Structure formats: C-alpha cells, structure tokens
Amino acid sequence: MNNWLPGQPDDYRAGEDCVEINTERGGQWNDEGCSTTLQSYICSKDYVDVECDERNGWINYDNKCYLWRNVELQTWTEAETFCTLLNGHLISINSDDEQNFVNDMLQQFKGMGMWIGLTDKESTNAGSFYWTDRSPADYMKWDNNQPDTRYYSNGGNCAQMQNYDISSDGLWVTAPCYLAKNYMCEAKEGTCSSGWKYYNGQCYQSNMNKRTWIDAKSFCEAQGGYLITITSDGENLFIATLFSEFWRNVRQNIWFGLSDIKRDGNFQWVQDIDLDYTSWNIDNPKNQPNKADCGSMNTGNNAALWDTIDCNYEQAFICQITAGRAVTNLPADQGVHSCEGDWQAHGDSCYLFRATDFQPYWDAEAICANEGGSLVTITNQEEQDFLSVRADVLRAEMWIGLHDTKGKFEWIDGSALSFNNWAPGEPNESGSGEDCVSFVSKYSRLGMWNDLDCTRHQPYICKRPYNSGGGPVNPVTPPSSGKTDGPSGTLSGGAIAGITIGFICVLVLASVLTVLVVKKRQK
C-alpha cells in the first residue's frame, strides 16, 4: 500500500531518503532529506491485549493471572481469604511449566518462601492433600522426605514453596498453617458481561445509540458503570481499538467522561479523580464561556486524541465498569432518569461522592441533609456493587449511613440492618468507641464495611430520591442516649431551646429584682 503525491518519490538531487506526510494534501506522502528539515513526527507501537489486572499488580501467564504478595506476611488461612476476596485462590501448580514460571517469579521478587494452595486442613486423614481451587492434585513437586504430616493435629499441614536457591529449586515442603509467610494468588483471566469487552481489570461497553453527554452518563450509571475514565496511554490505545465499530455504525464522535460542568473551564472526570493523564488534540481543551463543555473523541482517527464540544450534542459513547462487578444491562434505547450536578443516578436514587471533603460522621450527615439527602443507606447487593465500583476508582475510605445505637447497628433513617457487607473481622469496636461505619479502601476489601470512631475526618457518600427536588431536609441527629458523637461545634434544637428559655428566665428575674430595689430606695 502507498499514498504518494503525484510525481513522488522523486529523490530530488539524490538526497531525499526519508518520507513525510503532507498535511495540506490529504495526508499523501513525499520524500524529503532526512537531515535538512526539522519536522513533527508520529510514533507507533503494537497494541497488547491485557487480560489481567496489571494496574493492581497481576501478571499473565498461560491464560491465568498471578499476584505475588510480600507486602504483609499472612497465615495460610489469611492468605487464602485474601485471594478469595479477589475472586481467586492461593496458587495451584499443575505442571512443570507452571512450576518453573512460579519459581522464576520467586527468584525475581527475591522471595523468602511462600504459601501455595495445597493443604490437608479439611481432610479426614493426614496427608490427604487437595488444592483450594479443587483442581486435580495429580502434579506434585515435594522435596526429599516430604510431605511431613506432623502438623495435622495442630491445625493442618499447609504447603509452601521453599526459599529460592540453586539447591532447593523451589521444591515444596509442609509447614504449620499458623505461620505467617509470603504468598501468591491465582485467578482466571478477566471476563465481562455479555456485550462488554475486557481490558486490564475493567470492562467496556460500546453504545451506538446517540445521547447527550448527561444522558450518556446517566445511562452508564443506570447499568452500574460510568462514562469511560481514561488514566493511561495503554487504556487510551485500547479505546482506539473500539473505534472501527463506531465508524462502521455511526461515523461520528463518541463521548467520554470528562467535562467542565462542575466549574466552567475546569475539566474533571465523572469520578472526581485527578486529571493526571491527558491526550488532547491540537488547540484543546476548548472552553465556551458560561457553557458546558464535554470530552469527545473522533472515531475516524485512531490516534484517540481528545476534543471538547458542547455537551448538548447527541453522540455515541462508551461505558466502563470494574470487572467482576454486577452489571444491569439495559436496552440501548431505554430512557433513564438523570441527577443534577455531581449526583450520580442508579435505580430510583441519586448518589453524591464527596471524595475530597473530609468530615466527622455527623457533620457529613448534616452536609448531606443540606443537599436534600442523607448519608447513604445500602439495601441490597446490586446497590453495594454500584457503590463498590466507585470505591475502586476513588480508593478512599468513605462514611456510609450506618451507626451503632445502644449496641446495635442501624441505618441513619432508623431502618433495620437487613443487608450487610462487613469486612472480615468487622465490626470489632477496636479500642472501643467505633460506632460509625465506613467503606474500606484496601484493594482486596474495596467497598467492604468497617466500624470507626465517629470523630474521624474522612470523605462520605450522600443519597437522595431522584425526584426529591434537591432542597435541604432536616439532618438526622445522633440519639441522645446513644454512644455516637454529634456534629462537631453544633447544638441540637433541644439544647438551643433550653438555652433560650434559661436566658429569658434570667432577664425576668433581673427585672423583678430591679423593681424591688427601686421601691425600697423610694421608701
């Protein structure tokens, strides 16, 4: 294939050995001297499909994903629990190739031995070993005089790969399961719901049905996801691989999740994370004063450069969600309700994520009430998944509307706790006084619940009905007989009324005494 200009290449004066694209002649080619002209240039590289969540440290090998953990030593049971929270298990090794791969990783990470997913903990007989992912226990790589089953009566025998050196060659030995060691998790390659495509721990859905930016944002939220948030060059290149489908079907631009709706001229992601990565086109971003501008990409240009245009245009768009989270797939033309400003729509409610505003629990509730809602109540797994997806993006511990009243946890609206998502070992009232509940921000427990001291300052999530109108409502105040602390620096209505009445009584008494003193002097 070539695209030469007429009469080219001509090797003028036998010195034109490099080729340029003529931007004024439809991108046709011309030969030019390699050192005589300073030019702009274009780089290219192969796109690599990422089937594991590499941004969180997973490594792909032979259609599986592996995660090495040496940040915090864990007992065998703690390590297996961590891996299951990530939809995996401790590693099972089923071939010489896999053994060599894991052994190489152990050498690369300078591992000091690690747990693998082989044990007899739950077997009826010592030495009846099984893998935690229930794969066949046909392949073994025991060291000499192993397995040693003497720990069975003391919590079971758990297998570890030995410290890497030339003599051990990563062979396996048993150890008491209660010891704390490094470990490796294993999981299947990422998968997505029907109609979504996987990349690096995320799922993406191409939507050809044209909507305004606000409607596109609301449609993604109604499905549990959000308009794409692009944080790396690799992710931007992946988005470009989806362009051909859009070009064949709609031949136009697509929306992505960047806008200046919140503050004119200040472009922010829908998830309110920092704008660290950009891929702006020439002369962009463009700001129309006093008008909302939103992120758009031309699907006819595989460079995936970003533009900004009027948010009221109707365009195709791409939704995004964390892989493994629940998706509510909707018909492409289904209408969905929208929420004003920064509020995000899901089901019959609107949600506000205040990821950078750090407040004590009851002050956060007062702010939510001023916005027409309250701290979020969570009633089912679908709603929890919607919130966990946002927690995955924001990576912040955030107050929710659950608190301890007289030794019993209840929602801020007084409703009973019928659904819960406690992190392992929670609630634990650590050090006493942990009466308010927050999302956990650690990778393996994102979106799970933890009880904390109510006076701690941290971000929060508000919730209100989508048709509420958004006007202020009366905030929920802490129970007078409960253990939770009220809003810092504020007084309840009863306290204010009591102070007022006391002040009036003092004034009346002072007036009576003044009259008596005056009459006595007159006499």
Side-chain angles (χ1 to χ4, degrees):
M1 180 267 180
N2 71 73
N3 193 33
W4 293 110
L5 283 164
Q8 300 297 330
D10 61 0
D11 198 19
Y12 182 67
R13 292 186 177 178
E16 295 186 337
D17 299 322
C18 295
V19 179
E20 65 180 2
I21 291 178
N22 191 316
T23 57
E24 296 179 354
R25 299 285 298 273
Q28 290 183 288
W29 305 348
N30 173 50
D31 57 334
E32 183 60 81
C34 301
S35 59
T36 57
T37 306
L38 296 178
Q39 299 258 46
S40 301
Y41 52 93
I42 302 171
C43 301
S44 71
K45 65 181 180 180
D46 292 335
Y47 165 73
V48 178
D49 202 9
V50 181
E51 299 295 346
C52 300
D53 190 1
E54 292 184 357
R55 65 180 188 147
N56 285 310
W58 290 85
I59 297 173
N60 183 268
Y61 174 76
D62 196 25
N63 302 318
K64 294 181 183 178
C65 301
Y66 299 85
L67 179 68
W68 166 256
R69 292 289 297 178
N70 65 346
V71 177
E72 181 181 9
L73 301 181
Q74 302 272 21
T75 67
W76 187 94
T77 300
E78 290 171 340
E80 171 65 10
T81 299
F82 178 92
C83 294
T84 57
L85 290 172
L86 302 179
N87 298 315
H89 290 280
L90 280 171
I91 183 173
S92 60
I93 303 174
N94 299 294
S95 68
D96 280 335
D97 286 344
E98 191 169 19
Q99 168 73 12
N100 292 335
F101 165 74
V102 175
N103 205 13
D104 288 344
M105 286 186 67
L106 196 61
Q107 179 185 19
Q108 176 185 343
F109 291 113
K110 304 186 185 304
M112 300 299 292
M114 68 172 197
W115 289 126
I116 60 176
L118 193 65
T119 185
D120 65 358
K121 279 171 61 72
E122 298 178 5
S123 298
T124 55
N125 299 310
S128 295
F129 287 91
Y130 60 90
W131 294 108
T132 54
D133 65 358
R134 305 305 175 184
S135 59
D138 299 332
Y139 176 85
M140 297 289 165
K141 202 70 173 177
W142 294 111
D143 202 350
N144 296 330
N145 302 316
Q146 293 290 329
D148 180 354
T149 61
R150 65 178 131 159
Y151 312 112
Y152 179 74
S153 60
N154 192 19
N157 298 288
C158 292
Q160 65 163 336
M161 182 178 279
Q162 295 182 86
N163 304 357
Y164 179 85
D165 58 45
I166 295 175
S167 61
S168 72
D169 198 28
L171 297 177
W172 312 346
V173 298
T174 59
C177 302
Y178 55 77
L179 295 180
K181 296 181 179 294
N182 300 320
Y183 56 98
M184 185 179 292
C185 300
E186 177 181 302
K188 296 179 180 178
E189 286 186 335
T191 57
C192 298
S193 177
S194 176
W196 296 68
K197 295 182 179 179
Y198 183 91
Y199 174 79
N200 202 14
Q202 302 289 307
C203 296
Y204 302 81
Q205 180 195 51
S206 299
N207 291 274
M208 306 299 161
N209 201 56
K210 299 176 185 179
R211 296 175 183 265
T212 65
W213 189 90
I214 288 291
D215 286 344
K217 170 179 175 290
S218 299
F219 183 83
C220 294
E221 291 166 358
Q223 296 190 108
Y226 49 93
L227 266 180
I228 50 170
T229 300
I230 305 169
T231 59
S232 69
D233 189 50
E235 187 173 21
N236 206 48
L237 288 171
F238 167 75
I239 297 302
T241 67
L242 307 178
F243 283 1
S244 59
E245 183 181 5
F246 286 102
W247 190 248
R248 285 195 308 269
N249 287 278
V250 294
R251 289 188 175 271
Q252 66 152 29
N253 296 357
I254 59 169
W255 293 123
F256 65 101
L258 200 62
S259 77
D260 68 351
I261 288 177
K262 187 174 182 178
R263 194 169 76 216
D264 191 35
N266 181 34
F267 288 90
Q268 292 181 293
W269 291 113
V270 288
Q271 297 302 333
D272 200 25
I273 60 175
D274 293 337
L275 185 59
D276 294 329
Y277 170 79
T278 62
S279 183
W280 293 116
N281 203 349
I282 298 172
D283 298 328
N284 275 276
K286 296 176 181 176
N287 177 42
Q288 304 175 84
N290 302 316
K291 280 189 175 184
D293 306 290
C294 293
S296 174
M297 285 190 280
N298 179 3
T299 62
N301 182 348
N302 286 333
L305 298 175
W306 303 356
D307 302 300
T308 58
I309 63 173
D310 191 319
C311 302
N312 291 313
Y313 287 127
E314 292 189 342
Q315 299 190 149
F317 56 98
I318 298 176
C319 298
Q320 179 177 351
I321 194 170
T322 305
R325 295 296 181 184
V327 175
T328 305
N329 285 311
L330 299 175
D333 59 351
Q334 180 165 319
V336 294
H337 67 261
S338 298
C339 299
E340 299 93 355
D342 294 335
W343 290 80
Q344 299 188 31
H346 184 71
D348 294 328
S349 301
C350 296
Y351 301 81
L352 180 63
F353 297 82
R354 287 291 182 87
T356 57
D357 184 19
F358 289 73
Q359 299 289 343
Y361 185 89
W362 290 103
D363 288 1
E365 163 58 18
I367 293 171
C368 290
N370 191 55
E371 296 278 358
S374 66
L375 284 172
V376 64
T377 57
I378 307 170
T379 58
N380 55 57
Q381 187 62 53
E382 181 185 6
E383 186 174 25
Q384 175 64 51
D385 281 341
F386 169 80
L387 298 169
S388 294
V389 167
R390 274 82 190 150
D392 182 42
V393 176
L394 298 171
R395 295 293 171 95
E397 295 189 356
M398 307 181 80
W399 291 125
I400 63 174
L402 191 65
H403 63 97
D404 185 355
T405 303
K406 300 180 181 179
K408 181 181 179 181
F409 281 96
E410 66 176 27
W411 290 111
I412 198 128
D413 60 4
S415 58
L417 181 62
S418 58
F419 167 82
N420 77 77
N421 193 41
W422 292 110
E426 303 294 343
N428 63 359
E429 189 117 0
S430 176
S432 74
E434 293 193 340
D435 301 320
C436 295
V437 180
S438 165
F439 270 4
V440 179
S441 63
K442 289 184 178 179
Y443 167 51
S444 64
R445 303 179 180 186
L446 277 169
M448 291 186 173
W449 306 351
N450 177 32
D451 56 331
L452 294 172
D453 189 321
C454 303
T455 61
R456 176 170 171 159
H457 289 65
Q458 61 180 36
Y460 51 95
I461 307 171
C462 304
K463 176 183 177 181
R464 74 184 186 203
Y466 82 91
N467 57 357
S468 66
V473 298
N474 293 325
V476 176
T477 55
S480 58
S481 59
K483 300 185 294 179
T484 50
D485 298 322
S488 59
T490 63
L491 295 172
S492 67
I496 294 173
I499 292 171
T500 303
I501 293 171
F503 181 69
I504 292 173
C505 290
V506 170
L507 288 177
V508 171
L509 181 60
S511 300
V512 171
L513 290 173
T514 301
V515 170
L516 290 174
V517 169
V518 170
K519 286 185 177 181
K520 185 175 180 180
R521 286 180 177 176
Q522 287 175 346
K523 287 181 180 182

